[in-house]
């Protein structure tokens, strides 16, 4: 569902990668998912979605944040 563009599913993927016990934590994938969700929302909903995304990014290395951004751009190019 997340690969088909369902925003709620993409949000859950991000939570799974970032927080869920028993799942390997992958901050890059979590941030990528959070960015994709925020990208698809508008105004007030986007403002709400960027808070956890920015909090996650603040705990990551610049290299990992850049990699997440690269993956978002790759996703964006593939969805056009």
């Amino acid at each position: 569902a997340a690969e088909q563009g369902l925003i709620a599913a993409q949000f859950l993927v991000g939570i799974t990668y970032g927080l869920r016990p028993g799942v390997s934590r992958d901050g890059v994938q979590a941030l990528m998912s959070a960015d994709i969700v925020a990208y698809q929302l508008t105004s007030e909903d986007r403002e709400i979605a960027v808070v956890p995304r920015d909090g996650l990014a603040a705990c990551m290395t610049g290299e990992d944040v850049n990699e997440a951004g690269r993956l978002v751009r790759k996703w964006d190019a593939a969805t056009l």
Side-chain angles (χ1 to χ4, degrees):
E3 290 178 0
Q4 295 174 347
L6 296 174
I7 295 172
Q10 290 166 342
F11 178 75
L12 291 174
V13 166
I15 297 233
T16 299
Y17 278 120
L19 304 173
R20 183 131 181 166
V23 175
S24 273
R25 290 192 174 166
D26 186 336
V28 171
Q29 289 292 321
L31 184 58
M32 180 193 79
S33 295
D35 270 344
I36 289 171
V37 168
Y39 177 78
Q40 295 178 80
L41 297 173
T42 57
S43 63
E44 187 176 317
D45 290 335
R46 180 177 289 164
E47 289 178 29
I48 293 167
V50 299
V51 171
R53 181 204 64 191
D54 292 349
L56 176 60
C59 298
M60 297 171 63
T61 66
E63 184 177 312
D64 284 346
V65 171
N66 290 338
E67 176 63 8
R70 185 189 70 76
L71 292 172
V72 169
R73 289 186 298 278
K74 182 179 175 183
W75 169 85
D76 189 35
T79 60
L80 294 177

